[in-house]
């Protein structure tokens, strides 16, 4: 990480995943949290801002309450070990998953429910000095990810609640492009549409107007 700093890097990212259908065992949670904490400490020692990404996978038939229960354990361990490793909370960004039902769960959650569960968890587990919560989309549909983020920003939060999406920004763009030079402009427009939608959502101003 010191070498990357010399080359101009100022941020680092480490993603570790926890699977709900597989347990997760206490050992798996501890291992995930400890690895993230060591990485964050090493990054800060080298002058980098660590993006800490504990992803709780969407796979499974579990409901939103089970996701909440697991995320509560995972986030508690992550921040305990960050503190044990003297990580400065003001100098990290958190990239977590939202609290949603499992992908195969029959009971779907509304954006308001996702926002209520996720903000409740953030308030219980994330210290206010953490400057930013940059959510991953984790397999949500593009519009779902935007609506959920928008619902979380309807009132002020202690942290900046924003997005760091991959699929939920790129899916339509990549399908529109399809590797064809003649589709580049349409694909760029599709990417811009999603970027603008999420930009509005992190301000709580997304309306869904014009969305399919």
């Amino acid at each position: 990480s010191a070498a990357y700093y010399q080359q101009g890097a100022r941020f680092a990212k480490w993603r570790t995943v926890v699977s709900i259908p597989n347990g997760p065992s206490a050992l798996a949670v501890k291992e995930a949290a400890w690895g993230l904490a060591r990485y964050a400490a090493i990054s800060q020692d080298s002058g980098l801002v660590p993006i800490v990404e504990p992803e709780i996978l969407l796979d499974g038939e579990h409901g939103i309450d089970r996701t909440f229960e697991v995320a509560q354990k995972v986030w508690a361990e992550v921040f305990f070990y960050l503190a044990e490793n003297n990580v400065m909370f003001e100098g990290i960004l958190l990239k977590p998953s939202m609290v949603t039902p499992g992908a195969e769960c029959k009971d779907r959650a509304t954006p308001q429910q996702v926002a209520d569960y996720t903000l409740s968890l953030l308030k219980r587990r994330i210290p206010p000095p953490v400057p930013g919560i940059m959510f991953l989309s984790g397999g949500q549909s593009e519009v779902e990810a935007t609506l959920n983020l928008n619902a979380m920003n309807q009132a002020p939060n202690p942290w900046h609640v924003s997005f760091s999406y991959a699929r939920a920004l790129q899916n339509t763009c990549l399908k529109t492009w399809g590797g064809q030079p003649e589709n580049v402009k349409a694909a760029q427009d599709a990417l811009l549409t999603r970027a603008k939608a999420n930009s509005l959502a992190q301000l709580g101003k997304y309306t869904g107007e014009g969305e399919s």
Side-chain angles (χ1 to χ4, degrees):
S1 51
Y4 282 125
Y5 184 90
Q6 291 302 320
Q7 292 172 37
R10 292 296 177 266
F11 289 82
K13 184 169 88 78
W14 185 297
R15 169 181 178 260
T16 194
V17 297
V18 171
S19 170
I20 293 180
N22 292 342
S25 67
L27 178 62
V29 173
K30 183 176 180 178
E31 180 62 25
W34 179 254
L36 284 168
R38 290 300 306 136
Y39 137 80
I42 292 163
S43 298
Q44 285 190 346
D45 284 348
S46 300
L48 301 171
V49 175
I51 299 170
V52 177
E53 184 175 0
E55 178 175 2
I56 293 155
L57 296 172
L58 265 182
D59 308 337
E61 298 174 357
H62 52 276
I64 196 167
D65 288 296
R66 176 66 180 142
T67 308
F68 185 90
E69 183 190 349
V70 171
Q72 196 162 230
K73 278 185 196 160
V74 172
W75 293 10
E77 295 256 335
V78 168
F79 277 87
F80 173 75
Y81 286 119
L82 286 171
E84 287 282 284
N85 281 277
N86 297 313
V87 171
M88 187 176 72
F89 292 156
E90 295 92 326
I92 71 167
L93 291 172
L94 184 68
K95 182 175 175 175
S97 8
M98 296 179 193
V99 180
T100 64
E104 288 84 49
C105 178
K106 290 179 176 61
D107 297 325
R108 304 317 297 155
T110 64
Q112 193 53 56
Q113 287 172 311
V114 171
D116 289 346
Y117 273 83
T118 307
L119 289 174
S120 168
L121 186 58
L122 285 170
K123 285 168 185 162
R124 288 186 193 183
R125 290 290 181 259
I126 312 305
V130 174
I133 314 294
M134 308 297 163
F135 281 104
L136 57 93
S137 52
Q140 299 178 66
S141 76
E142 291 178 337
V143 174
E144 229 176 3
T146 307
L147 286 168
N148 291 340
L149 178 64
N150 189 64
M152 278 186 253
N153 280 299
Q154 293 309 302
N157 292 303
W159 338 261
H160 184 67
V161 176
S162 190
F163 65 98
S164 175
Y165 296 161
R167 270 174 292 181
L169 268 180
Q170 300 165 3
N171 216 17
T172 301
C173 168
L174 289 171
K175 282 179 181 167
T176 305
W177 172 50
Q180 303 303 314
E182 63 272 21
N183 296 338
V184 166
K185 177 71 174 73
Q188 288 174 332
D189 291 343
L191 179 61
L192 200 55
T193 298
R194 293 265 42 86
K196 281 181 178 168
N198 288 301
S199 182
L200 288 169
Q202 51 99 34
L203 298 171
K205 295 178 178 175
Y206 172 74
T207 59
E209 203 179 318
E211 293 275 29
S212 60

